[in-house]
Amino acid sequence: MSNTRAIRLGSPEEYTQLLDQYDTWMFDCDGVLWQGERLIPGATEVLRMLREKRKKVIFVTNNATKSRKNYKVKFDQLGVEAHVDEIYGSAYATAVYISSVLKLPKDNKVYVIGQSGLEDELRDEGISFLGGTDPQDCTTTTPFSLSSFTPDPSVAAVICGLDTSITYTKLSKAFKYLTLNPACHFIATNQDSTYPSADGLLPGAGAISAPLRYALGKDPLVVGKPAKTMLDCIKAKVHFDPKRTIMVGDRLNTDILFGQAGGLATLLVLTGITLESEISGPNPSPIVPDYITNSIGDFLVAA
Amino acid sequence: MSNTRAIRLGSPEEYTQLLDQYDTWMFDCDGVLWQGERLIPGATEVLRMLREKRKKVIFVTNNATKSRKNYKVKFDQLGVEAHVDEIYGSAYATAVYISSVLKLPKDNKVYVIGQSGLEDELRDEGISFLGGTDPQDCTTTTPFSLSSFTPDPSVAAVICGLDTSITYTKLSKAFKYLTLNPACHFIATNQDSTYPSADGLLPGAGAISAPLRYALGKDPLVVGKPAKTMLDCIKAKVHFDPKRTIMVGDRLNTDILFGQAGGLATLLVLTGITLESEISGPNPSPIVPDYITNSIGDFLVAA
């Protein structure tokens, strides 16, 4: 299929054809299945239909503040069927990357800029860590000093996700670990510039790693969409045929790019970040999905 | 003078010639006059000699955590003669930029990411501000929420300097001001990636504005070296002839670039950030000063 122009789904036959064509359906969540606390109309029914048709359903989210178990609670609260092993969050994928790809020795530690969901996933993978929600690192002190800080020589990686308790202490300790030991790995859960919160758009995980990128003059290895690391993590855990897999998302530069980089088909929905004007306006995005539909609920016509 | 190769000063005659050639001497401070709390040998005597020869002496620092008055205390403690009106810090230059160039109406406010020295300079220029050292914005709360935040419609600029009490609250409020009002000015005191502290190199002011740059996809107006805004501020306050002015600094990408951008002669000293190898090694920096000397103390041979 050519990627120069997206197919806008319309007739029931087109939706039915897509359902026939793809066995594995990967979904971004916020902006696709729900918007904040509000379900997208029809999302539950479409997911149920996919399960009835024996499709494999996988949820792929860049949210690194939640563990898969935290995320499952969100699905439960909204009444959407999901199983922990179908959920791939960037916190989980980061922990899997460290344990399965980097294979850090068990007596090594990672220094964490991030929240409890990320810590939970590290713990589940048996990875020791410092920083994170440690009150000492989450508290701002004036005047600032690192004089009581002795770098732990077993720290072999710094990981950085969204952290609403970011402090200069955390940034400085992370900077020290990365400069004192040039072999120390620098890993970002994801690079989203913003994320949709109850307070509207706010700076995302990419903004939290930005100070280190700038101070070090060096980019981190990125785990979350659109990076391939996330797909490698899914591949390591579940079998799917990329040719018969479709990625459904609301964001061109994360979801759609992620699907394209992995050789998957891509479907853009317009219930989230991307606006109609970014596709069909005078300056359309160079990232062109294979298919476009207004909402995931549109698939109900194929039921 | 050609900028393709630096002249390495050596003989007493060369130092004397430079003293004859330039009437105004601009100095970076840390790495030139002192290293942390330690005076560079001969610095006091060379400054005294310049004053005896009726040279104009100006101190130009990117440190935005100190007001000029705070900075004068540092000179006093080290026993170096300096007067408040000879000191140009990026906090002061930022306040002057807002009052004299932007000419913000007096009933407008600025939102501050920065420390008390920056607040002092704003106060001296009669600029009202929010954020900064306000304990409410310097405290990390879990879970994070902006629900009690009502943006102040009189905020017309966000300014961002080094802030060791940076919080996600400050970043989020600044982000809201800059996105809710696209005309809101985004100003950085300086863009230094790191700075030398008592704890060694730590992330600098450029690292503190990096989250906003990344989340907004937009660069701030930069005041400090190497930006021209700093020189414009000095020009507005003191008369000097660029052709008879020399900038002395230890950092190629701030001090030397700053001098070159302003049409000043430049002298690199090797008592700070820049290493000999960056000048004469196999991959020399493309930024070439007019002159190089090991230390400012070398000028004593011309006394």
Side-chain angles (χ1 to χ4, degrees), chain A residues 146 168 176 191 199 203 214, chain B residues 146 168 176 191 199 203 214:
Chain A
L146 273 191
Y168 193 71
K176 287 292 183 192
Q191 293 262 65
D199 301 307
Y214 190 81
Chain B
L146 272 192
Y168 193 70
K176 287 292 183 192
Q191 294 261 67
D199 302 305
Y214 189 81

Side-chain angles (χ1 to χ4, degrees), chain A residues 6 58 60 79 97 114 123 131 133 136 187 192 200 214 227 233 261 299 301:
Chain A
I58 295 174
V60 190
Y97 175 78
R123 218 175 272 119
T133 58
Q136 211 192 335
I187 302 164
D192 295 38
Y214 190 81
C233 172
F299 276 84
V301 298

Side-chain angles (χ1 to χ4, degrees), chain A residues 21-26 231 235 238-247 258-266 290:
Chain A
Q21 217 165 329
Y22 301 106
D23 303 327
T24 301
W25 289 66
M26 294 193 186
L231 200 66
K235 273 182 187 161
V238 54
H239 174 76
F240 63 91
D241 176 1
K243 287 201 187 60
R244 294 191 58 85
T245 300
I246 187 164
M247 173 72 207
F258 169 77
Q260 291 175 347
L264 319 179
T266 55
D290 296 314

Side-chain angles (χ1 to χ4, degrees), chain B residues 15-297:
Chain B
Y15 290 99
T16 306
Q17 200 191 328
L18 234 66
L19 289 169
D20 290 343
Q21 218 166 328
Y22 301 106
D23 303 327
T24 301
W25 288 67
M26 293 192 186
F27 289 95
D28 178 44
C29 302
D30 210 331
V32 176
L33 305 178
W34 57 70
Q35 291 168 331
E37 301 304 316
R38 199 176 71 87
L39 260 182
I40 300 288
T44 319
E45 294 78 2
V46 169
L47 287 172
R48 195 181 303 131
M49 178 181 71
L50 288 170
R51 291 187 189 279
E52 282 164 4
K53 291 183 187 289
R54 323 283 300 181
K55 304 294 182 187
K56 198 170 279 168
V57 175
I58 296 174
F59 305 102
V60 190
T61 169
N62 271 0
N63 186 329
T65 64
K66 286 187 163 71
S67 66
R68 288 175 304 163
K69 285 169 196 158
N70 300 151
Y71 226 70
K72 163 93 167 95
V73 172
K74 169 108 189 186
F75 279 90
D76 292 348
Q77 282 167 344
L78 290 169
V80 181
E81 182 184 347
H83 307 275
V84 167
D85 62 2
E86 292 170 340
I87 303 171
Y88 289 80
S90 67
Y92 173 64
T94 299
V96 169
Y97 175 78
I98 291 170
S99 62
S100 308
V101 182
L102 290 188
K103 297 189 203 304
L104 280 199
K106 284 293 169 195
D107 55 349
N108 279 2
K109 297 194 186 86
V110 304
Y111 185 79
V112 176
I113 295 180
Q115 304 189 185
S116 61
L118 181 53
E119 291 179 329
D120 291 343
E121 295 291 10
L122 293 171
R123 218 175 273 120
D124 279 1
E125 289 289 317
I127 301 162
S128 304
F129 58 86
L130 298 169
T133 59
D134 183 340
Q136 211 192 335
D137 287 11
C138 293
T139 310
T140 290
T141 48
T142 308
F144 174 79
S145 172
L146 272 192
S147 58
S148 63
F149 169 58
T150 309
D152 184 328
S154 66
V155 168
V158 166
I159 62 179
C160 195
L162 182 66
D163 187 345
T164 59
S165 297
I166 185 71
T167 58
Y168 193 70
T169 301
K170 285 189 196 174
L171 293 174
S172 296
K173 288 186 177 180
F175 180 76
K176 287 292 183 192
Y177 281 121
L178 290 163
T179 47
L180 294 172
N181 173 12
C184 185
H185 298 276
F186 178 25
I187 302 164
T189 59
N190 61 304
Q191 294 261 67
D192 294 39
S193 58
T194 58
Y195 77 103
S197 79
D199 302 305
L201 275 192
L202 288 178
I208 300 300
S209 59
L212 291 173
R213 285 206 312 280
Y214 189 81
L216 296 162
K218 179 172 145 176
D219 289 327
L221 176 123
V222 180
V223 173
K225 298 174 285 184
K228 210 177 140 282
T229 321
M230 175 69 102
L231 200 66
D232 291 342
C233 172
I234 302 173
K235 273 181 188 161
K237 301 282 175 180
V238 55
H239 174 76
F240 63 91
D241 175 3
K243 287 203 186 60
R244 295 191 56 85
T245 299
I246 188 163
M247 174 71 207
V248 188
D250 69 315
R251 227 167 163 146
L252 293 169
N253 64 358
T254 55
D255 303 319
I256 302 305
L257 213 51
F258 169 76
Q260 290 175 347
L264 319 179
T266 55
L267 166 62
L268 180 76
V269 293
L270 299 172
T271 44
I273 294 276
T274 304
L275 306 172
E276 174 77 42
S277 60
E278 293 171 62
I279 314 290
S280 53
N283 291 306
S285 166
I287 304 165
V288 181
D290 296 314
Y291 309 99
I292 301 177
T293 195
N294 287 329
S295 159
I296 190 65

Side-chain angles (χ1 to χ4, degrees), chain A residues 68-138:
Chain A
R68 287 175 305 163
K69 285 171 195 157
N70 299 151
Y71 226 71
K72 163 94 167 95
V73 172
K74 168 109 190 186
F75 279 90
D76 292 348
Q77 282 167 345
L78 289 170
V80 181
E81 182 183 345
H83 307 275
V84 167
D85 63 2
E86 292 170 341
I87 302 171
Y88 289 80
S90 66
Y92 173 64
T94 299
V96 169
Y97 175 78
I98 291 170
S99 62
S100 307
V101 183
L102 290 188
K103 297 187 203 303
L104 279 199
K106 284 293 169 197
D107 56 350
N108 279 2
K109 297 194 186 84
V110 303
Y111 186 79
V112 176
I113 295 181
Q115 303 189 184
S116 61
L118 181 52
E119 292 178 330
D120 291 343
E121 296 290 10
L122 292 171
R123 218 175 272 119
D124 279 1
E125 290 289 317
I127 301 162
S128 304
F129 58 87
L130 298 169
T133 58
D134 183 340
Q136 211 192 335
D137 287 10
C138 294

Side-chain angles (χ1 to χ4, degrees), chain A:
Chain A
M1 177 180 313
S2 161
N3 253 346
T4 55
R5 211 173 141 190
I7 294 174
R8 190 169 286 264
L9 302 175
S11 69
E13 293 70 31
E14 286 173 314
Y15 290 101
T16 306
Q17 200 192 327
L18 233 66
L19 289 169
D20 290 343
Q21 217 165 329
Y22 301 106
D23 303 327
T24 301
W25 289 66
M26 294 193 186
F27 288 96
D28 177 43
C29 301
D30 210 331
V32 176
L33 305 178
W34 58 70
Q35 291 168 330
E37 300 306 316
R38 199 175 71 86
L39 259 182
I40 299 288
T44 321
E45 294 78 2
V46 170
L47 287 173
R48 196 180 303 131
M49 178 181 73
L50 288 170
R51 291 186 190 281
E52 282 164 5
K53 291 182 187 293
R54 324 281 300 178
K55 303 294 181 188
K56 198 169 281 170
V57 175
I58 295 174
F59 305 102
V60 190
T61 169
N62 271 359
N63 186 330
T65 65
K66 287 187 163 71
S67 67
R68 287 175 305 163
K69 285 171 195 157
N70 299 151
Y71 226 71
K72 163 94 167 95
V73 172
K74 168 109 190 186
F75 279 90
D76 292 348
Q77 282 167 345
L78 289 170
V80 181
E81 182 183 345
H83 307 275
V84 167
D85 63 2
E86 292 170 341
I87 302 171
Y88 289 80
S90 66
Y92 173 64
T94 299
V96 169
Y97 175 78
I98 291 170
S99 62
S100 307
V101 183
L102 290 188
K103 297 187 203 303
L104 279 199
K106 284 293 169 197
D107 56 350
N108 279 2
K109 297 194 186 84
V110 303
Y111 186 79
V112 176
I113 295 181
Q115 303 189 184
S116 61
L118 181 52
E119 292 178 330
D120 291 343
E121 296 290 10
L122 292 171
R123 218 175 272 119
D124 279 1
E125 290 289 317
I127 301 162
S128 304
F129 58 87
L130 298 169
T133 58
D134 183 340
Q136 211 192 335
D137 287 10
C138 294
T139 309
T140 291
T141 48
T142 308
F144 174 80
S145 172
L146 273 191
S147 58
S148 63
F149 169 59
T150 309
D152 183 328
S154 67
V155 169
V158 166
I159 61 178
C160 195
L162 183 66
D163 186 347
T164 59
S165 297
I166 184 71
T167 57
Y168 193 71
T169 302
K170 285 190 197 174
L171 293 174
S172 296
K173 289 186 177 179
F175 180 77
K176 287 292 183 192
Y177 281 121
L178 290 163
T179 48
L180 293 173
N181 172 12
C184 185
H185 298 275
F186 178 27
I187 302 164
T189 59
N190 61 306
Q191 293 262 65
D192 295 38
S193 57
T194 58
Y195 76 103
S197 79
D199 301 307
L201 275 192
L202 288 178
I208 300 300
S209 59
L212 290 173
R213 286 206 311 281
Y214 190 81
L216 296 161
K218 180 172 145 175
D219 289 328
L221 176 125
V222 180
V223 174
K225 298 173 285 183
K228 210 176 141 283
T229 320
M230 175 69 101
L231 200 66
D232 291 342
C233 172
I234 302 174
K235 273 182 187 161
K237 301 282 174 179
V238 54
H239 174 76
F240 63 91
D241 176 1
K243 287 201 187 60
R244 294 191 58 85
T245 300
I246 187 164
M247 173 72 207
V248 187
D250 69 316
R251 226 168 164 146
L252 293 170
N253 64 357
T254 54
D255 303 319
I256 302 305
L257 213 52
F258 169 77
Q260 291 175 347
L264 319 179
T266 55
L267 167 62
L268 179 75
V269 293
L270 299 173
T271 44
I273 294 278
T274 304
L275 305 173
E276 173 77 42
S277 60
E278 293 171 62
I279 314 291
S280 53
N283 291 305
S285 167
I287 305 165
V288 181
D290 296 314
Y291 309 99
I292 300 177
T293 195
N294 287 328
S295 160
I296 190 65
D298 297 343
F299 276 84
L300 285 181
V301 298

